[in-house]
């Protein structure tokens, strides 16, 4: 795909698609609940469609019409042993959270994914689930897909996670819903809390005490009406575009502002971005608001520690942002990037260097020196099959001089099927 380059301005208003993390969880908990769940502003991207497909194979009646999804909950004991293999596609969230749910089911299931999923570590989830009593086997001792799981008769667990990962935390807590007693997860840093909020929306109980989250099982959930806010991870690409493309002003409507996800806002603020947030609402469930970003004079910052779990998915676009900030930006404590859809440390550095960025990889992050003009004389960049790399490169092309072609642009559809159309609407 030929990308727009040397863009003179980006101006207009868009609404980014529904939050991917929340869309996954709404389908999953809706499937477990008793009664009907209606999900509005659902993300119909490839990852979330994989979640729907898996739960249909588990016997759940799910109807999807664009961004509206209706789930007829199976209720306690209502999931059925699948006749076919459960294919999670490219979705790590589907794989890891589904394992937590399957751990509590008294039947056997097999789980597979695409080539990218086959490289992503599942041991961080299978280890605690085995401690709870699930029988899990697979490639390299159950650390990689394909995986086979037979669940049921789980024991409660108090688990101290070595990583701050919402997927690990969620898998264990979801399994805990099927135990008789208290299951808890303690993290080194606080990870995103969509699962905790979602369980409460479905009438369940979750206790949060500092870095420890616990559930007492068994719990009975009831169907709910869910509105999915715009995904701040998707909004991040346009926030950065608005800040670095000349003469720009972009308004993003109905963006999710969950405080465990707003690290990108903190970084933009620290860098000095000209940004405003208005009309904040729904603060007790999933807060949402409208954001406006304008072309900004930016300063370098250091990013690490507790901030990393709150912006781990935004680091590729933050790296691009840093190329246009005065000074040296250091991103550290982000080794988790190595086990995403790609090794995002390597792919971000490799692709931005093609465009002339002054960027180098470290063992747990990157060092970016700015402000650096980007150039592209017939350059071909590659998403490496990673949706966030593809969108980052499309934004980078906007400020590049010359021509840029993006290979494997179709990867963007995983989380933002209309991304390129929305970008063109701002030109």
């Amino acid at each position: 795909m030929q990308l727009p380059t040397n863009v003179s301005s980006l101006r207009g208003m868009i609404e980014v698609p529904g939050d991917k993390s929340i869309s996954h969880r709404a389908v999953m908990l809706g499937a477990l609940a008793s009664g009907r769940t209606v999900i509005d502003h659902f993300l119909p991207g490839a990852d979330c469609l994989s979640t729907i497909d898996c739960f249909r194979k588990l016997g759940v009646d799910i109807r999807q019409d664009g961004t509206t999804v209706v789930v007829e909950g199976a209720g306690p004991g209502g999931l059925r042993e699948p006749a076919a293999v459960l294919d999670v596609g490219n979705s790590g969230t589907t794989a890891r959270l589904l394992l937590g749910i399957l751990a509590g089911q008294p039947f056997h299931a097999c789980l597979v994914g695409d080539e990218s999923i086959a490289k992503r570590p599942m041991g961080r989830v299978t280890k605690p689930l085995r401690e709870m009593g699930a029988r899990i086997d697979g490639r390299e001792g159950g650390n990689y897909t394909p995986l086979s799981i037979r669940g049921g008769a789980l024991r409660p667990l108090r688990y101290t996670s070595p990583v701050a990962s919402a997927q690990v935390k969620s898998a264990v807590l979801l399994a805990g819903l099927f135990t008789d007693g208290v299951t808890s997860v303690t993290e080194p840093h606080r990870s995103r809390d969509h699962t905790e909020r979602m369980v409460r929306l479905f009438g369940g109980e979750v206790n949060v005490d500092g870095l420890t989250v616990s559930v007492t099982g068994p719990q009975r959930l009831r169907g709910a009406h869910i509105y999915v806010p715009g995904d701040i991870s998707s909004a991040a690409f346009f926030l950065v575009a608005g800040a670095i493309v000349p003469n720009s002003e972009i308004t993003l409507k109905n963006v999710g502002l969950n405080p465990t996800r707003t690290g990108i806002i903190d970084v933009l603020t620290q860098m000095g971005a000209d940004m405003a947030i208005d009309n904040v609402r729904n603060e007790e469930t999933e807060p949402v608001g409208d954001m406006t970003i304008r072309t900004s004079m930016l300063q370098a910052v250091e990013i690490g520690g507790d901030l990393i779990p709150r912006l781990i998915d935004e680091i590729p676009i933050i790296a691009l942002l840093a190329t246009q900030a005065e000074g040296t930006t250091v991103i550290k404590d982000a080794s988790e990037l190595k086990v995403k859809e790609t090794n995002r440390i390597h792919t971000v550095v490799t692709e931005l260097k093609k465009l002339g960025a002054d960027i180098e990889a470290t063992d747990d992050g990157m060092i970016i020196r700015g402000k650096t003009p980007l150039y592209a004389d017939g350059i071909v960049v590659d998403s490496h099959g990673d949706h966030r790399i593809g969108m980052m490169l499309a934004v980078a092309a906007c400020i590049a001089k010359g021509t840029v072609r993006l290979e494997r642009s179709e990867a963007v559809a995983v989380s933002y099927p209309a991304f390129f159309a929305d970008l063109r609407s701002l030109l």
Side-chain angles (χ1 to χ4, degrees):
M1 171 185 286
Q2 200 73 25
L3 296 173
T5 56
N6 198 24
V7 172
S8 59
S9 70
L10 292 172
R11 307 186 74 86
M13 179 186 298
I14 59 175
E15 183 170 8
V16 297
D19 188 287
K20 186 156 71 81
S21 296
I22 297 172
S23 294
H24 281 301
R25 288 161 172 80
V27 170
M28 292 180 178
L29 290 172
L32 298 177
S34 297
R36 175 175 294 176
T37 291
V38 179
I39 308 166
D40 290 325
H41 202 226
F42 173 84
L43 170 64
D47 277 10
C48 296
L49 297 180
S50 292
T51 291
I52 286 179
D53 178 66
C54 287
F55 278 89
R56 282 173 173 160
K57 289 176 179 174
L58 290 165
V60 182
D61 179 7
I62 303 175
R63 301 184 299 280
Q64 182 217 345
D65 182 9
T67 60
T68 299
V69 173
V70 178
V71 183
E72 303 293 348
L79 297 184
R80 296 289 177 259
E81 183 169 273
V85 169
L86 302 175
D87 188 347
V88 304
N90 185 245
S91 178
T93 301
T94 306
R96 295 188 176 115
L97 272 61
L98 182 56
L99 284 169
I101 292 170
L102 291 173
Q105 310 307 312
F107 54 67
H108 175 261
C110 293
L111 186 152
V112 299
D114 66 8
E115 289 184 14
S116 172
I117 286 294
K119 299 174 184 175
R120 300 180 68 178
M122 296 293 155
R124 56 180 56 186
V125 169
T126 59
K127 177 182 181 295
L129 294 179
R130 282 169 167 163
E131 291 179 25
M132 297 178 78
R135 287 172 284 172
I136 303 173
D137 199 5
R139 195 162 53 88
E140 294 192 21
N143 197 41
Y144 295 97
T145 59
L147 293 169
S148 168
I149 179 169
R150 183 174 293 278
L154 296 184
R155 301 180 292 273
L157 176 68
R158 298 186 183 274
Y159 185 63
T160 299
S161 177
V163 294
S165 167
Q167 293 180 1
V168 173
K169 175 177 65 176
S170 298
V172 175
L173 294 177
L174 289 171
L177 296 176
F178 301 98
T179 68
D180 185 8
V182 178
T183 293
S184 67
V185 180
T186 302
E187 300 182 287
H189 305 289
R190 189 182 182 199
S191 65
R192 58 184 65 176
D193 66 353
H194 297 305
T195 296
E196 296 94 300
R197 291 171 181 261
M198 187 70 69
V199 168
R200 294 189 186 108
L201 279 172
F202 279 89
E205 295 183 6
V206 180
N207 182 64
V208 180
D209 183 8
L211 297 175
T212 299
V213 182
S214 60
V215 297
T216 301
Q219 293 199 25
R220 187 182 184 94
L221 307 177
R222 57 179 182 272
H225 194 147
I226 306 293
Y227 169 79
V228 182
D231 196 324
I232 194 166
S233 294
S234 296
F237 297 97
F238 290 106
L239 291 172
V240 170
I244 66 176
V245 174
N247 309 308
S248 294
E249 181 174 327
I250 302 171
T251 296
L252 304 169
K253 302 290 287 185
N254 303 320
V255 179
L257 298 174
N258 183 306
T260 63
R261 294 281 300 282
T262 51
I264 180 65
I265 295 175
D266 292 354
V267 168
L268 283 162
T269 301
Q270 291 166 21
M271 283 188 165
D274 183 358
M275 177 179 60
I277 301 174
D278 302 299
N279 194 24
V280 177
R281 54 209 185 274
N282 301 342
E283 295 189 62
E284 291 185 1
T285 53
E286 286 285 355
V288 61
D290 304 330
M291 306 183 70
T292 299
I293 187 85
R294 302 175 185 87
T295 307
S296 308
M297 298 291 291
L298 304 169
Q299 298 295 320
V301 294
E302 183 173 293
I303 302 167
D306 292 354
L307 188 57
I308 293 296
R310 297 176 55 229
L311 49 63
I312 191 70
D313 287 336
E314 290 74 71
I315 287 179
I317 194 64
I318 289 172
L320 171 63
L321 180 71
T323 70
Q324 303 307 302
E326 296 288 347
T328 300
T329 294
V330 177
I331 301 172
K332 61 181 183 178
D333 304 322
S335 56
E336 183 74 7
L337 290 171
K338 296 177 180 178
V339 293
K340 291 291 186 177
E341 283 83 340
T342 59
N343 178 336
R344 285 184 178 160
I345 294 176
H346 173 76
T347 52
V348 167
V349 170
T350 298
E351 297 303 319
L352 283 180
K353 275 187 171 180
K354 291 180 181 178
L355 298 173
D358 187 349
I359 181 171
E360 64 180 277
T362 64
D363 186 56
D364 65 346
M366 309 165 206
I367 299 172
I368 308 107
R369 299 173 185 87
K371 182 176 180 180
T372 307
L374 302 185
Y375 297 96
D377 186 12
I379 293 295
V380 176
V381 293
D382 192 342
S383 77
H384 296 261
D386 186 328
H387 55 127
R388 301 200 195 279
I389 301 296
M391 287 185 279
M392 180 272 288
L393 291 169
V395 176
C398 289
I399 60 169
K401 309 293 184 184
T403 59
V404 181
R405 181 172 179 80
L406 175 63
E407 295 293 317
R408 289 188 271 188
S409 60
E410 68 278 1
V412 166
V414 162
S415 63
Y416 201 155
F419 172 77
F420 293 111
D422 281 353
L423 179 60
R424 285 192 296 269
S425 76
L426 298 173
L427 294 174

